[in-house]
Amino acid sequence: MSPTYLWLGSVLVCLAMSAVYPANQVKDNRAEVALQAAIKTEAVDGNLKAAIEQYRKIVETGSRAVAAKALVRMGQCYEKLGNVEARKAYEQVVREYADQLEPVKLARSRLAALSQPTGIVNHDTMTVRQVWAGPDEDFLGAPTRDGRYLTLQDWESQELAVRDLATGQKRRLTNKDPRSLEFALLSIPSPDGKDVVYGWYNKDNFYDLRIVGMDGSKPRVLYANAELTYLEPSDWSPDGKNILAIFYQKDKGSQIALVSVTDGSARILKSFDQEAPKRARFSPDGRYIAYDFPQQPGTKEYDIFVLAVDGGHETPVVQHPANDVVFDWTPDGKRILFGSDRSGTMGAWWVQIADGKPDGTPEVVKPDLGQDVRPMGFTRDGSYYYNVRTGMSDVYIAELDLASGRVLAPPVLATQRFVGSNSKPDWSSNGRQLIYLSQRGPGAWGARAICVRDAKSGQVHEIPSKLDRVVSVRWFPDGRSLLAGAQHPSGVFGDFRIDVQTGEYERVDLQSPLGWGTAWSPDGKAIFYHQWNNTAKTSSIVARDLASGQEKELYSVTELSYHFCAGVALSRDGQRLAFAVREAKSGSKILKVLPAAGGEARDLLRGVQMPFPGSIAWAPDGQSVLFVKQPSPGDSKTELWLASVRDDEPRKLDLTAKNMRELSIHPDGRRIAFTGGGDKSEVWAMENFLPTAGNSK
């Protein structure tokens, strides 16, 4: 072969190699960029599932060096999720990437570790069992240590109650004046199961701590301080001598405190300038307290800390971009069980603790507990109880011919956005807009957006609000502002007027239960609502002149045997009020009509089976009242009925829906908006997942 051909061949080889090199280099660079993006998704965003998908694409399209690294990172993500796919990822590195020394070394190391018993979660024996499912009433309590009873807030009576989990029977532990606005809050049984500590909204309109026997005996106020905006019990000390509580102060700050069970004295363990922990729990030896706290003011993401009770050191034990909240210490005191959404959904995780400090990295116990989960507590057998709120609540719009009772257009969703999270509709006075609340955060009073739907186009926009925990919302007659029951950023609950354009608010001094059941006069100059009178010990319907602030009592319940069970509805001409009362002894409900100027109330309908709270609204002609009826007590199927003020027989309309409530009639008299569906409370227990004594670190 001639030198010319040899030279030409060498040139062609060199040209080919020079073309391949930059192509491979570009490929490697792109893969490395993708790898760094995936690492950010994993380590910074905390979204392990999304990171796994990114690593998977890198393995399929990247260079060998980057693909091997991606597989190792993928395996580590699977480990954190407690997924057996971790081993497969490491084995693939060892099998297919032997030339990548460092990734292979890491993969072999992890395979060796996975081959050893970890003493962490016993997935082979772990079970998850539903303990109870029922109406939305069991989420503010905790189990007794023997697992027999569950304390709760009885939804209808607002009393503290306890449920026997073996029989399902429920009995009340408190006995308040049925007319009062007092109600029970969070409750926790004592370690020996003989007593219950609970929060209580009292007759003097502030919150206190109380203790009552599990049999309902010896109720007493343990701690009361009118200067606090809110307080709640968080745990009993292991010896049963102190209550761990969280205090909310009027200056936006909060405190973790110990309250003596003997004399009610309080000792402050930790003060915060703003924000507050969600939950705090004693370690089993009583030396430490684990609590969670927002990462930044106003954020929904929490980190977890351990505080020495004796005033010693405080240590962050879980710091992560995800939302991490305290569940409990494990019974052996060696781990903190916590909830985290770092994998995309809220799951149970834990981290090992030694001398109040983290000893290792967090590991998953059970992924995906549910969207709205609340921790409850351990029982002596090592089972962990937690509550999950399930079900769907939505705003519907239907069209009716009230004269014939026929449905002209069946109920349709007011919005397709955030389905299952919408409630409390209210038409504006001109009928052009429908307002409602859309829940965006977990919890009974989680974060809620104020939404406005255009009646013509169906378009929805949100109203900015600087208030926390909006509980109820209604239009002012002017159509430019709203009346909202909400929590002020300082922690105080009350009634506020919100400007729909700016979100600015001002306090409205109503002694009402957070805007519940209010009604406006047609000219917008007066408002009608329920009010509790501490001095007279009566529950009344009052009319308030907004200009002067003067109030007039129109009707009051003075007998202990009755209390209001529905809001106040005003006829369109402003002449009549409709409301409902419940006879405490029989449970029978009575629909009443009252002149708006005051006078004698008369019974419109007696013995009607209405759900609680009842829902009523006036027909546009002012001659009949619409109300929701249950065919039988506790039935989720509800019906729309119409009762005439002319003493005609009540009529059943053709509209039925599951748990229909919060009626709002459009000014055209044809369209009706209502909330349908409802939440359900489920109590679950994780069982047989704790390490055995011989296999625990």
Side-chain angles (χ1 to χ4, degrees), residues 329-392:
W329 295 78
T330 54
D332 61 7
K334 295 182 178 180
R335 297 170 183 85
I336 292 176
L337 183 69
F338 65 95
S340 178
D341 62 1
R342 63 185 64 194
S343 62
T345 58
M346 184 60 73
W349 295 65
W350 61 21
V351 61
Q352 296 194 86
I353 302 293
D355 295 323
K357 299 177 182 179
D359 184 22
T361 58
E363 299 193 32
V364 70
V365 176
K366 184 185 184 306
D368 197 12
L369 292 176
Q371 180 62 28
D372 193 352
V373 61
R374 181 192 165 272
M376 299 182 114
F378 274 105
T379 53
R380 290 193 190 96
D381 64 1
S383 300
Y384 191 78
Y385 285 53
Y386 60 96
N387 175 274
V388 179
R389 289 160 56 85
T390 60
M392 306 288 278

Side-chain angles (χ1 to χ4, degrees), residues 37-364:
I39 291 173
K40 176 184 177 297
T41 302
E42 174 194 347
V44 178
D45 299 337
N47 192 337
L48 299 180
K49 292 182 178 179
I52 287 172
E53 292 306 312
Q54 290 176 270
Y55 291 134
R56 193 187 310 280
K57 291 178 181 178
I58 294 170
V59 173
E60 294 172 353
T61 62
S63 70
R64 289 183 61 79
V66 181
K69 295 177 185 177
L71 275 170
V72 172
R73 302 289 310 205
M74 184 192 301
Q76 292 171 336
C77 287
Y78 277 130
E79 277 196 77
K80 293 176 181 177
L81 291 172
N83 197 310
V84 295
E85 295 294 322
R87 179 180 293 277
K88 294 180 181 179
Y90 297 138
E91 289 174 345
Q92 185 178 351
V93 175
V94 174
R95 183 176 64 252
E96 299 178 12
Y97 297 86
D99 57 320
Q100 304 300 317
L101 301 182
E102 187 60 29
V104 168
K105 180 180 178 181
L106 290 172
R108 290 186 186 279
S109 173
R110 292 313 307 151
L111 284 171
L114 290 174
S115 299
Q116 299 297 320
T118 64
I120 301 299
V121 185
N122 195 336
H123 289 290
D124 293 334
T125 60
M126 179 180 180
T127 58
V128 179
R129 175 175 62 92
Q130 187 181 83
V131 177
W132 177 260
D136 185 14
E137 61 179 6
D138 293 300
F139 65 95
L140 288 179
T144 52
R145 299 294 174 90
D146 59 9
R148 179 177 177 183
Y149 298 105
L150 185 73
T151 61
L152 57 101
Q153 179 202 52
D154 181 58
W155 179 248
E156 183 169 358
S157 68
Q158 302 294 292
E159 302 272 17
L160 176 67
V162 62
R163 186 184 302 283
D164 187 318
L165 292 174
T167 66
Q169 292 183 339
K170 178 177 64 177
R171 57 183 171 85
R172 297 175 187 172
L173 300 182
T174 56
N175 185 28
K176 72 181 182 71
D177 184 335
R179 303 163 300 169
S180 78
L181 300 179
E182 297 175 87
F183 55 86
L185 290 160
L186 181 66
S187 57
I188 307 171
S190 60
D192 61 10
K194 295 180 179 180
D195 297 296
V196 182
V197 64
Y198 59 101
W200 186 262
Y201 182 75
N202 62 36
K203 60 182 178 58
D204 296 316
N205 302 318
F206 68 92
Y207 301 88
D208 58 41
L209 285 180
R210 301 188 177 195
I211 288 181
V212 66
M214 185 62 76
D215 58 0
S217 64
K218 300 179 180 179
R220 63 186 174 100
V221 176
L222 178 64
Y223 181 85
N225 185 349
E227 297 303 310
L228 297 177
T229 61
Y230 179 62
L231 82 172
E232 67 180 24
S234 204
D235 200 4
W236 288 76
S237 61
D239 59 10
K241 295 181 178 180
N242 292 284
I243 303 298
L244 184 62
I246 299 174
F247 294 167
Y248 292 71
Q249 300 174 289
K250 290 184 178 179
D251 59 0
K252 293 187 180 181
S254 64
Q255 299 170 321
I256 297 177
L258 283 184
V259 180
S260 170
V261 173
T262 303
D263 59 17
S265 60
R267 177 166 70 94
I268 306 303
L269 298 180
K270 176 79 175 179
S271 295
F272 307 92
D273 293 334
Q274 52 185 338
E275 307 290 346
K278 279 187 177 180
R279 184 173 169 90
R281 302 292 284 180
F282 267 109
S283 61
D285 60 9
R287 296 173 56 201
Y288 301 103
I289 288 169
Y291 72 90
D292 45 38
F293 197 76
Q295 296 172 7
Q296 298 291 335
T299 64
K300 299 176 182 178
E301 288 75 35
Y302 284 64
D303 286 334
I304 298 174
F305 304 81
V306 166
L307 174 69
V309 175
D310 62 6
H313 66 270
E314 179 182 33
T315 306
V317 295
V318 179
Q319 289 184 301
H320 192 277
N323 182 30
D324 301 303
V325 292
V326 168
F327 277 15
D328 222 322
W329 295 78
T330 54
D332 61 7
K334 295 182 178 180
R335 297 170 183 85
I336 292 176
L337 183 69
F338 65 95
S340 178
D341 62 1
R342 63 185 64 194
S343 62
T345 58
M346 184 60 73
W349 295 65
W350 61 21
V351 61
Q352 296 194 86
I353 302 293
D355 295 323
K357 299 177 182 179
D359 184 22
T361 58
E363 299 193 32
V364 70

